Amino acid sequence: MTLEGKVALITGSTSGIGLGVARALAAAGANVMLNGFGVAAQIEEMRGEMERAFCVTVHYDDADLMKPEQVRALVKRTQEEFGSLDILVSNAGIQFVAPIEEFPEAQWDSVLALNLSAVFHGMKAVIPGMKAKKWGRIINIASAHGLVASANKVAYVAAKHGVVGATKVGALELANDGITVNAICPGWVLTPLVESQLVARAKEAGTEVSSEAAKLLEEKQPMLKFTTPEAVGAMVVYLCSDEAQTITGSPISIDGGWVAQ
Ligand code: NAD
């Protein structure tokens, strides 16, 4: 229980990677603020199950992080209800796929607002409290697409490269405040975000989702295996440990060799 007494806010933690990270932090003893969208009854069931399984306090807030004032309100509510905010995992993200010449402006704005601007607003809001305690962990879930590009993902790739940049700036500014700032850059993780891309590909190609999953991996990853949300959660827990106190400003790949090529 290395993180007993710590308070963690994980954005976009009602599904996929964020949920895996929230569970890993709770298992390590942290109290958790969940955030994201979904069916209220299912989220409440998930919240209660986490409290019982890990003997920690788990709260939930449905803030829409495309709106900067809601990012700030979420941070404030977490600090007020738990008395502290020690770990921020900015994870909420969306995808939109189209070539640049056809890319809708509204989708560009939405992807940038959530995948990049919300990361900035979150960091800005949590830093004063972390500085006061001389301890903090800011972990931004970027992507292999924070380091290399793929066609048809202009907003996502631009936003994720921006997240890696913002992470490095935070690390420099906070280097001697007991606060580390890192980015995790996963390759393919089989979550609802990727499943919807697989369904779209299968529909277009007239194939099955399972064969599209194999093709998706082959196109990008030397290792033909999906990363799991649990593996990303374990890396987050490690980055929160004392042993990781000098790891800062790093984009950490968990990607089956994707960016080694
Ligand atoms: P997901 O779709 O399963 O989960 C996204 C989460 O964000 C959900 O909880 C959703 O409710 C929440 N969300 C969406 N819009 C929101 C908003 N406006 N305000 C607050 N919450 C909102 O996706 P995922 O695959 O788990 O992705 C999580 C993060 O990991 C994203 O930033 C994504 O870019 C990144 N990532 C995913 C993969 C992958 O292969 N799945 C790879 C690399 C990086």
Side-chain angles (χ1 to χ4, degrees):
M1 300 293 269
T2 50
L3 299 177
E4 209 170 336
K6 300 280 193 243
V7 176
L9 164 61
I10 305 98
T11 71
S13 45
T14 51
S15 92
I17 294 172
L19 180 57
V21 169
R23 292 184 67 85
L25 287 167
N31 295 315
V32 161
M33 176 65 93
L34 297 170
N35 155 260
F37 301 150
V39 179
Q42 286 172 5
I43 294 171
E44 178 50 25
E45 199 181 308
M46 192 188 289
R47 191 198 63 74
E49 188 275 328
M50 278 177 68
E51 283 196 333
R52 288 188 298 277
F54 304 117
C55 301
V56 295
T57 304
V58 181
H59 292 183
Y60 163 73
D61 188 293
D62 67 354
D64 177 353
L65 304 183
M66 284 197 198
K67 300 179 176 135
E69 68 279 7
Q70 294 200 25
V71 181
R72 289 188 281 272
L74 173 61
V75 167
K76 194 159 175 269
R77 179 180 161 191
T78 308
Q79 289 166 330
E80 283 172 1
E81 288 183 6
F82 290 93
S84 181
L85 203 177
D86 309 295
I87 298 161
L88 171 65
V89 183
S90 285
N91 164 81
I94 49 170
Q95 176 62 281
F96 191 86
V97 181
I100 294 173
E101 60 198 313
E102 291 162 21
F103 209 92
E105 281 83 1
Q107 293 293 346
W108 168 269
D109 290 343
S110 296
V111 173
L112 267 286
L114 183 63
N115 294 20
L116 179 58
S117 296
V119 174
F120 159 72
H121 295 298
M123 291 206 294
K124 183 171 178 184
V126 299
I127 285 170
M130 290 180 177
K131 269 187 167 174
K133 283 187 83 177
K134 300 198 185 317
W135 198 95
R137 294 287 187 268
I138 297 173
I139 298 160
N140 298 320
I141 306 301
S143 167
H145 283 123
L147 303 170
V148 294
S150 291
N152 302 325
K153 295 185 174 176
V154 65
Y156 189 87
V157 170
K160 294 297 188 182
H161 275 67
V163 168
V164 171
T167 300
K168 292 177 180 176
V169 173
L172 299 184
E173 291 182 4
L174 302 168
N176 293 300
D177 291 299
I179 303 165
T180 66
V181 189
N182 291 290
I184 296 179
C185 300
W188 291 124
V189 186
L190 198 52
T191 66
L193 183 132
V194 170
E195 277 157 17
S196 64
Q197 292 176 59
L198 292 175
V199 170
R201 283 171 61 126
K203 201 172 152 198
E204 202 181 310
T207 55
E208 296 298 317
V209 166
S210 56
S211 61
E212 287 307 315
K215 275 194 251 164
L216 192 84
L217 289 167
E218 272 167 26
E219 282 166 16
K220 297 290 177 185
Q221 285 195 189
M223 191 182 288
L224 303 175
K225 216 185 216 182
F226 285 100
T227 294
T228 62
E230 291 75 19
V232 180
M235 176 58 76
V236 168
V237 171
Y238 175 67
L239 288 172
C240 292
S241 70
D242 285 345
E243 289 76 10
Q245 63 185 283
T246 59
I247 300 178
T248 197
S250 295
I252 297 166
S253 292
I254 313 181
D255 68 357
W258 183 326
V259 305
Q261 301 167 95

